Amino acid sequence: MSQPLSLDPALIDAAQTATAWPFEEARKLVERLKRTGKKEVLFETGYGPSGLPHIGTFGEVARTSMVRYAFRLLTGDTIPTHLYAFSDDMDGLRKVPDNIPNKELVAASLGKPLTQVPDPFGTHESFAHHNNARLREFLDAFGFDYEFLSATECYRAGRFDKTLLTVLERYDAVMAIMLPSLREERQQSYSPFLPIHPKTGIVMQVPIDERKLDAGTIVWRDPETGERFETPVTGGHAKLQWKPDWAMRWVALGVDYEMAGKDLIDSVKLSGEIAKALGGLPPEGFNYELFLDEKGQKISKSKGNGLTIDEWLTYGTPDSLGLFMFSKPREAKKLYFDVIPRQVDDYLTFLEKYPSQDAKARLMNPVWHLHAGHPPAPELVSSGGGNQPGTTISFSMLLNLVAVANSEDPGVIWGFIRRYAPNVSPETHPRLDSLVKRAARYFEDFVKPQKTYRLADDVEAASLHKLWEILGSFENGGRPVTAEAIQEEIYNVGRAEPRYQDLKAKGATPERPGVSIEWFNTIYQVLLGEPRGPRFGSFVALFGVKETRALIQKALEGKLVSEHEAFLKTKSAERAA
């Protein structure tokens, strides 16, 4: 069952000219249907169950789903669509993974189809069944709409039989496509068919001595014993090498769309040629760029660089990960811990903008694509509580709040938030609550060790002292505490100091100059130990006037610098130990 999709006529109309990349991809499918006359569209993503689902698995399913949503809106949801999550679980196990228990148990089944390898975790009938279950749990946790397919079940149930017999019939054409892509020595023994050994159960990579088209069989010899076998290519008695297998699957299932990583460009072309040789039409799709680690190197599962999906979700939300996948899929992007806060905040910004946007802007907004046209309402917070207009509390704001509160306890952070907005709680704002917890964890693990506090020079100290004095007028009910009023006073302090005046700013006059970024940089560097920070008026309103004045006092006394130096020494000693 497909997820519900808003079919607002204004959205359908806007979809016809929408330029977001999922709509560009969806238009290729509209044109494909005009050529083929098909009455439905099949999307596919692939998964190799020799390992657990990873961040690339999420990215491929998420991006494919975005194209599916765009197609459904583009066509008024009048054409049925399906998404297959296909597991190549008939593949032979090539090596024992490093991250499993009972390695000896698995090692005894090297070469066998993954569905015939014992489950080292002892919970399922095979290693593949265990990992397939994890895949389905993984996809279900993100709410993806898909149908799971197992290669083993498809082969054994005869779903591929007709196309496998076509491969046998057009064997020479398939070989003519594959052989030029192989090394010379590999060419000598290559066959697209991999028979399953009837005695050992191993997926055999052997030359084919004879093809019997009438019988639908291949004849081959065991390279160790010389024994001759005749194996049907149907019914799960043999499988295909992965590039012919990919092509066969496209043809047998009627796949219309499948994307792949840039590293598979040549494989996509070869499989496309084979699909044509089998009388089929290769699917539409595009090649997305690969991820980079913090050093700009390509992420490799064997190297273990980059980060896992569990690591991302420890510090960032699932929606922020979805946004990361949506943005610029054809550009190589750094996938490491320091990209998470920006993605979280960008998601919150897009979510806050969505309700006020027109149809055209909504289809350019990533949250439409992340939530199948049904993004949740933004969680807004206002100092007055009640029904007054509010704003989103950003992740960067929370990180700074954790820093100056000197506590990673979410309860302490909520104390500040509730004082600012009494009607807000973890129950009314569950998304904010999850961000509070993630911010506390992220700050402790990544932000705090990287902070760089500095002492203020004489001019900076004088301006900060002036800010300390003016904030005193907000204490004890002297003036209403609003982010706007505090922000205006911060600007006024900057205007009063020649170093911070900006006469080139829009609307600036000698009597009322603009304020340069240098003044705010001073605040962030001296008070927060950061090169940049949140809108400081909003921060003060949230953190508290009294607390901010105490923070300024500690900075002017040099205590923030000395306390952080002591923290770094302790951390260094812990690492050395």
Side-chain angles (χ1 to χ4, degrees):
M1 180 69 72
S2 296
Q3 296 176 353
L5 195 70
S6 173
L7 296 177
D8 182 337
L11 285 174
I12 295 175
D13 183 61
Q16 308 310 309
T17 55
T19 57
W21 70 263
F23 284 102
E24 299 290 349
E25 291 299 298
R27 287 191 189 95
K28 295 194 297 189
L29 287 167
V30 172
E31 293 303 314
R32 180 185 179 93
L33 293 191
K34 291 179 182 178
R35 298 193 307 270
T36 64
K38 284 187 66 176
K39 302 302 182 182
E40 64 177 7
V41 171
L42 176 64
F43 298 83
E44 183 184 58
T45 63
Y47 167 64
S50 58
L52 296 177
H54 52 83
I55 208 161
T57 309
F58 171 86
E60 193 164 307
V61 179
R63 287 167 172 161
T64 303
S65 297
M66 293 170 195
V67 177
R68 184 184 182 189
Y69 301 147
F71 175 82
R72 290 175 59 197
L73 183 66
L74 198 63
T75 57
D77 212 15
T78 59
I79 299 173
T81 62
H82 307 277
L83 170 59
Y84 286 160
F86 190 91
S87 172
D88 189 15
D89 55 19
M90 201 170 166
D91 195 21
L93 180 66
R94 294 175 178 82
K95 64 178 182 178
V96 178
D98 294 328
N99 58 345
I100 62 169
N102 301 313
K103 291 184 176 63
E104 298 82 5
L105 180 70
V106 172
S109 295
L110 280 175
K112 290 184 179 181
L114 290 160
T115 44
Q116 299 302 311
V117 176
D119 178 16
F121 299 93
T123 58
H124 292 77
E125 61 184 277
S126 76
F127 189 32
H129 283 85
H130 174 273
N131 288 347
N132 285 341
R134 292 291 301 274
L135 171 69
R136 297 171 79 167
E137 291 168 5
F138 174 86
L139 297 179
D140 292 344
F142 288 103
F144 289 120
D145 174 27
Y146 69 97
E147 179 181 343
F148 175 79
L149 285 186
S150 157
T152 301
E153 292 177 5
C154 287
Y155 268 100
R156 289 180 177 174
R159 192 165 184 176
F160 294 156
D161 281 0
K162 180 179 178 181
T163 313
L164 288 169
L165 290 172
T166 303
V167 175
L168 185 65
E169 175 190 338
R170 304 182 185 182
Y171 185 93
D172 292 337
V174 174
M175 290 288 280
I177 294 168
M178 285 301 305
L179 290 181
S181 70
L182 304 173
R183 298 188 309 273
E184 185 175 352
E185 64 175 286
R186 183 77 181 96
Q187 292 177 357
Q188 306 306 312
S189 61
Y190 181 83
S191 166
F193 285 103
L194 302 174
I196 310 298
H197 200 297
K199 294 183 178 179
T200 66
I202 290 175
V203 181
M204 302 298 294
Q205 297 217 28
V206 291
I208 301 303
D209 293 343
E210 185 181 355
R211 289 175 289 128
K212 297 185 177 181
L213 299 184
D214 292 341
T217 60
I218 51 176
V219 179
W220 56 281
R221 294 180 182 275
D222 185 320
E224 293 187 4
T225 66
E227 188 175 0
R228 189 173 181 269
F229 296 95
E230 182 174 341
T231 299
V233 299
T234 54
H237 297 287
K239 74 177 298 288
L240 294 177
Q241 300 268 11
W242 82 272
K243 291 171 189 173
D245 185 85
W246 205 6
M248 179 276 298
R249 200 160 74 222
W250 290 342
V251 175
L253 299 177
V255 176
D256 296 293
Y257 191 91
E258 182 163 4
M259 58 180 66
K262 186 179 178 180
D263 57 332
L264 295 179
I265 287 177
D266 290 340
S267 299
V268 170
K269 290 179 179 177
L270 279 174
S271 295
E273 291 177 22
I274 294 172
K276 293 175 184 176
L278 299 178
L281 179 66
E284 308 298 322
F286 75 92
N287 296 102
Y288 52 81
E289 257 292 0
L290 305 180
F291 300 128
L292 308 176
D293 64 13
E294 78 280 14
K295 297 177 182 177
Q297 303 296 314
K298 289 183 180 179
I299 285 178
S300 165
K301 284 189 289 184
S302 60
K303 291 181 180 178
N305 55 344
L307 75 167
T308 67
I309 197 164
D310 288 337
E311 288 171 331
W312 182 294
L313 296 180
T314 297
Y315 307 105
T317 59
D319 296 325
S320 67
L321 180 58
L323 176 61
F324 182 81
M325 297 302 173
F326 174 87
S327 304
K328 301 177 180 178
R330 289 185 175 89
E331 293 184 13
K333 292 186 293 186
K334 184 178 176 184
L335 177 60
Y336 207 63
F337 296 103
D338 54 3
V339 307
I340 295 176
R342 174 66 180 273
Q343 295 299 314
V344 173
D345 280 345
D346 283 352
Y347 171 79
L348 295 175
T349 299
F350 286 125
L351 194 64
E352 186 172 349
K353 289 180 178 179
Y354 188 83
S356 62
Q357 291 177 321
D358 61 18
K360 183 177 180 180
R362 286 186 171 188
L363 297 187
M364 289 298 295
N365 190 324
V367 300
W368 186 93
H369 301 270
L370 300 183
H371 298 287
H374 294 283
E379 291 185 349
L380 305 181
V381 174
S382 63
S383 59
N387 296 319
Q388 295 187 25
T391 58
T392 301
I393 295 180
S394 68
F395 194 62
S396 59
M397 177 77 81
L398 291 173
L399 289 174
N400 283 295
L401 190 60
V402 172
V404 296
N406 197 30
S407 174
E408 289 81 45
D409 181 356
V412 173
I413 307 308
W414 265 109
F416 288 106
I417 296 173
R418 277 196 291 264
R419 184 181 62 188
Y420 171 73
N423 293 342
V424 173
S425 70
E427 290 71 33
T428 63
H429 287 60
R431 189 182 307 116
L432 177 58
D433 187 45
S434 75
L435 290 180
V436 168
K437 295 171 182 174
R438 287 177 165 94
R441 180 73 179 270
Y442 190 89
F443 174 79
E444 180 67 18
D445 292 347
F446 298 106
V447 178
K448 192 173 182 179
Q450 300 302 319
K451 279 185 172 288
T452 306
Y453 290 92
R454 67 173 178 83
L455 298 172
D457 63 25
D458 292 343
V459 172
E460 294 167 337
S463 293
L464 287 170
H465 184 73
K466 182 65 175 176
L467 179 59
W468 179 86
E469 290 179 336
I470 290 177
L471 288 177
S473 66
F474 288 89
E475 280 200 78
N476 302 320
R479 296 172 63 184
V481 178
T482 67
E484 292 72 21
I486 294 170
Q487 188 73 12
E488 182 61 27
E489 293 296 354
I490 295 170
Y491 274 107
N492 289 337
V493 172
R495 291 188 182 99
E497 168 52 50
R499 179 193 287 186
Y500 301 134
Q501 293 175 357
D502 182 4
L503 295 175
K504 296 181 180 179
K506 184 179 181 180
T509 65
E511 295 74 27
R512 187 177 173 78
V515 180
S516 76
I517 191 65
E518 186 178 351
W519 168 226
F520 295 97
N521 288 343
T522 295
I523 293 174
Y524 301 143
Q525 293 165 11
V526 175
L527 301 185
L528 302 179
E530 296 284 345
R532 61 188 65 85
R535 189 171 185 266
F536 204 66
S538 300
F539 174 80
V540 174
L542 181 60
F543 182 51
V545 171
K546 179 181 178 181
E547 288 76 9
T548 303
R549 295 186 78 215
L551 182 68
I552 294 173
Q553 192 67 41
K554 287 182 70 173
L556 295 177
E557 294 172 357
K559 291 181 180 178
L560 294 182
V561 171
S562 61
E563 288 176 0
H564 193 64
E565 288 176 348
F567 164 76
L568 293 178
K569 287 181 181 178
T570 300
K571 278 288 185 183
S572 179
E574 290 174 354
R575 286 195 297 269

